[in-house]
Amino acid sequence: MAGKGKKLTILVVIAAAVFALVYFGITLTANLGKSDKEISAEDAGKRLNKLYNDINVTVAETVKGQIDLDPADIGESLPDISKFPISVENTTESFVEIFSSTEKSGTGNDGWLNEVATAFNDAKPMVGGKQASVKIRNIASGTAADYIRSGRYIPDAFTPSNELWGEMVKANGTPAELISKRLTGNVAGVVTGKKKYDELVGKYGSLNVKTITDAIAGNELSMGYTDPFASSTGLNFLVTALGTFDSSDLLSDKAVQGFERFQANVPFIASTTLQMRDAAKTGALDAFVLEYQTFVNAADLKSGYVFTPFGVRHDSPLYALGNLPKEKVDIIKAFAEFTEQASNQKLAADKGFNGLDDYVSEMAPVEGSILSSAQKLWKEKKDGSKPIAAVFVADVSGSMAGEPLNQMKESLLKGQKFLGKDNSIGFVSYSSEVTINLPIAKYDTNQQSMFVGAINSLQAAGGTATFDGMIVAMKMLQDQIAANPGMKPLIFVLSDGETNEGHSLDDIRSLIETYKIPVYTIGYNANIKALESISSINEAANINADTDDVVYKIGNLLNVQM
């Protein structure tokens, strides 16, 4: 009996071992081919569904609104010019006003032109028998060009970062006489991490825009660049990249097809240089674009990064605008000559300018009409073959009542004109509860009408469950992607940032990270820090809407991202 019992025990052990092996094999086979990320995504789906089921969600009846089919008017959205500060005041009645790009009319290392203009005014130069002076207005090149081209405000003179903006102004019909090709030297470039730089040089032999675009097209380099509608460096990179595919015709089929291949692997278009640099700090980017003057003044970039110049030089040309009287043209010329003095150029060098003077652009001059067409091409092709699905999440809590809600409605109604028609759009509003005002659908004329109707119907009351609204938006997006794989998800949150009900950011942070959904936040009378913490998760941007240029800002944001 003892022998039989021993045999039985052995058989049981063997059977258990076989069962364990079979079970392990089944489990292993079930997960075969799945990465940790995919399994994590499955867990995220379960968590998202659980959170969604905790929320009281109402689906509103869709209401159509009256839409305006006229194209977006940049000039109409621009705020009063007083929004952009005078960095140097004129000191005489005979003077010229100059729009200056921000890298030279700001403060500290970015204040070179201000110091030179102050010295010019202090010198009280005589021009045409009168004491003359200059007034400097600090304004980004792209924004300045929008004012000039729209006719909303035209100063006497314009010194953008590079000549591309001058060509665009001339192509729009505004007289623009080039007074000086260079006030001070600067160069645009690609900043690459040293390890990635060595890797690419080892493969391609050198690093330039051609090898960079090849590496991006081959998915070997993760690089970001800035909005070519607003950024001098971004516009420069766009036309330089197009030129690598067909230098004889930037808009040829060959150039467009090459750009589409390249752009399909660009993970990040930043609204601002600061946003792009923040993304690089997280390790999300191997490389990004920057001006050399900023690069040499950035302590965090001095070691570990390599600067590769590209495109046209950023030498701060100076233009006289409009049909000016000779007196004003003479003041502009006198000021240009003053900036060339050795002491002023040494001051520029001390602030990081006049570096890389041996760099010569290989690009031929680009006409303004071609530059405008290149921007339109970028708008059409920037998302490659991946259409966008976006959900707007609007705060309609009691704290948004009055001016904040009115401002939100205005900015959305005007900003929606910048939404690409190939994208898919949905709309959610929230207070203590969440309402799906508009399910996600392609942004055709019908959807646009219902989007406008949803905006017009918003009323403010109740508490603020911001993250409940975001959970509903994420659920809508994941359902949309399940039905249409390959879509790129985006969320735009419009709020005062004061969450006091529902779920917390900690409840959904891991979901935002897993799904890699950029969340752009727009704050109305807002706790900006709270909204920034949401946007920073996936390197999105935050806009402070407590300013009179919010419509213009949101238009730019939607133009870049949508």
Side-chain angles (χ1 to χ4, degrees):
M1 291 290 294
K4 288 182 180 180
K6 187 174 182 181
K7 287 179 180 178
L8 182 61
T9 302
I10 292 171
L11 287 171
V12 169
V13 171
I14 291 171
V18 170
F19 174 81
L21 286 170
V22 170
Y23 178 81
F24 178 76
I26 292 172
T27 305
L28 182 64
T29 304
N31 290 329
L32 195 62
K34 291 186 178 181
S35 67
D36 291 341
K37 179 179 176 182
E38 287 170 326
I39 295 169
S40 174
E42 290 176 4
D43 292 339
K46 293 175 184 176
R47 177 165 178 74
L48 177 59
N49 287 334
K50 183 176 184 301
L51 291 171
Y52 181 84
N53 290 332
D54 288 340
I55 301 169
N56 188 354
V57 182
T58 302
V59 179
E61 182 180 351
T62 54
V63 179
K64 288 191 174 184
Q66 190 70 34
I67 61 173
D68 177 4
L69 295 177
D70 291 335
D73 184 348
I74 290 290
E76 182 184 324
S77 68
L78 288 165
D80 188 86
I81 194 61
S82 60
K83 169 68 183 174
F84 299 92
I86 299 297
S87 52
V88 176
E89 288 282 4
N90 58 293
T91 55
T92 61
E93 291 185 3
S94 180
F95 72 96
V96 293
E97 179 181 348
I98 303 173
F99 276 5
S100 169
S101 54
T102 55
E103 79 278 4
K104 58 182 183 287
S105 58
T107 59
N109 287 326
D110 295 335
W112 171 75
L113 193 67
N114 290 342
E115 294 186 35
V116 173
T118 299
F120 178 82
N121 290 353
D122 289 346
K124 296 180 173 58
M126 297 296 292
V127 179
K130 300 177 182 178
Q131 285 189 344
S133 62
V134 294
K135 174 192 285 188
I136 306 295
R137 192 180 295 273
N138 180 325
I139 182 169
S141 299
T143 304
D146 283 344
Y147 275 95
I148 297 165
R149 295 168 69 200
S150 68
R152 179 71 183 270
Y153 190 97
I154 301 176
D156 301 307
F158 177 33
T159 172
S161 298
N162 61 42
E163 290 185 34
L164 299 177
W165 299 112
E167 292 301 313
M168 291 181 72
V169 165
K170 287 192 285 186
N172 203 61
T174 302
E177 178 187 353
L178 183 63
I179 301 297
S180 172
K181 283 185 66 67
R182 170 172 170 160
L183 296 186
T184 187
N186 204 0
V187 174
V190 175
V191 177
T192 313
K194 185 67 167 61
K195 182 178 179 181
K196 177 59 70 171
Y197 176 86
D198 290 341
E199 177 187 317
L200 294 174
V201 169
K203 177 172 181 176
Y204 293 98
S206 64
L207 200 66
N208 51 47
V209 173
K210 178 65 172 73
T211 56
I212 285 170
T213 54
D214 287 346
I216 293 172
N219 209 24
E220 300 168 313
L221 179 68
S222 176
M223 183 186 138
Y225 63 95
T226 41
D227 171 13
F229 279 86
S231 162
S232 299
T233 308
L235 178 60
N236 195 354
F237 185 79
L238 169 63
V239 294
T240 305
L242 286 168
T244 66
F245 302 113
D246 188 347
S247 59
S248 63
D249 183 357
L250 301 185
L251 304 175
S252 70
D253 290 343
K254 180 180 177 183
V256 172
Q257 290 166 8
F259 179 75
E260 285 185 290
R261 291 194 305 273
F262 148 79
Q263 187 65 27
N265 287 320
V266 172
F268 193 64
I269 304 294
S271 297
T272 65
T273 300
L274 179 61
Q275 180 195 356
M276 187 178 54
R277 285 186 62 185
D278 286 344
K281 288 176 183 177
T282 67
L285 299 175
D286 299 319
F288 54 96
V289 298
L290 205 63
E291 286 186 318
Y292 187 71
Q293 182 259 349
T294 304
F295 176 76
V296 296
N297 285 318
D300 59 328
L301 299 178
K302 285 185 177 179
S303 61
Y305 289 88
V306 179
F307 185 93
T308 304
F310 70 80
V312 301
R313 289 187 60 90
H314 283 212
D315 285 343
S316 290
L318 178 63
Y319 299 87
L321 300 179
N323 299 306
L324 297 176
K326 182 176 183 302
E327 174 187 306
K328 283 186 175 283
V329 174
D330 287 344
I331 295 174
I332 297 169
K333 289 179 178 178
F335 181 64
E337 291 173 2
F338 186 80
T339 65
E340 295 170 1
Q341 293 180 6
S343 59
N344 290 326
Q345 290 303 308
K346 180 182 182 304
L347 177 65
D350 292 342
K351 293 183 181 295
F353 293 101
N354 294 336
L356 299 185
D357 269 354
D358 56 345
Y359 171 74
V360 178
S361 172
E362 297 178 355
M363 283 186 64
V366 183
E367 293 180 7
S369 59
I370 293 176
L371 290 167
S372 295
S373 296
Q375 287 179 322
K376 292 176 183 175
L377 169 68
W378 176 84
K379 172 72 174 173
E380 294 170 2
K381 305 293 185 181
K382 65 182 176 65
D383 297 311
S385 59
K386 290 188 71 172
I388 288 174
V391 176
F392 289 80
V393 182
D395 180 355
V396 291
S397 62
S399 58
M400 288 289 290
E403 187 56 30
L405 184 61
N406 292 336
Q407 197 175 39
M408 177 197 291
K409 287 182 177 182
E410 181 190 7
S411 55
L412 277 175
L413 290 171
K414 291 183 178 178
Q416 56 88 21
K417 285 194 170 189
F418 293 92
L419 301 178
K421 300 303 180 184
D422 292 330
N423 299 319
S424 294
I425 306 298
F427 192 81
V428 167
S429 61
Y430 68 90
S431 53
S432 299
E433 299 175 351
V434 181
T435 299
I436 298 176
N437 301 82
L438 186 63
I440 298 173
K442 192 168 183 178
Y443 198 64
D444 56 16
T445 302
N446 187 56
Q447 186 77 348
Q448 183 182 10
S449 175
M450 290 189 289
F451 186 75
V452 169
I455 295 166
N456 286 331
S457 68
L458 297 178
Q459 294 181 328
T464 311
T466 302
F467 302 107
D468 286 4
M470 290 177 62
I471 289 166
V472 173
M474 281 193 282
K475 180 70 167 65
M476 292 168 65
L477 287 168
Q478 291 310 305
D479 290 347
Q480 181 74 12
I481 291 169
N484 301 278
M487 298 192 86
K488 177 183 175 182
L490 291 178
I491 293 176
F492 296 90
V493 176
L494 303 98
S495 171
D496 62 7
E498 296 289 352
T499 300
N500 54 29
E501 290 188 25
H503 294 88
S504 69
L505 178 57
D506 288 340
D507 291 333
I508 69 168
R509 183 186 297 274
S510 61
L511 294 177
I512 299 172
E513 291 171 344
T514 298
Y515 292 133
K516 300 191 182 305
I517 303 175
V519 181
Y520 293 85
T521 55
I522 301 159
Y524 297 81
N525 192 27
N527 180 344
I528 294 299
K529 289 295 182 184
L531 295 178
E532 285 177 345
S533 67
I534 299 170
S535 293
S536 65
I537 295 174
N538 284 320
E539 292 83 44
N542 166 261
I543 289 177
N544 181 2
D546 299 341
T547 60
D548 57 5
D549 62 344
V550 63
V551 174
Y552 178 70
K553 283 181 176 179
I554 289 178
N556 282 342
L557 174 66
L558 297 181
N559 193 46
V560 175
Q561 302 303 335
M562 297 294 294

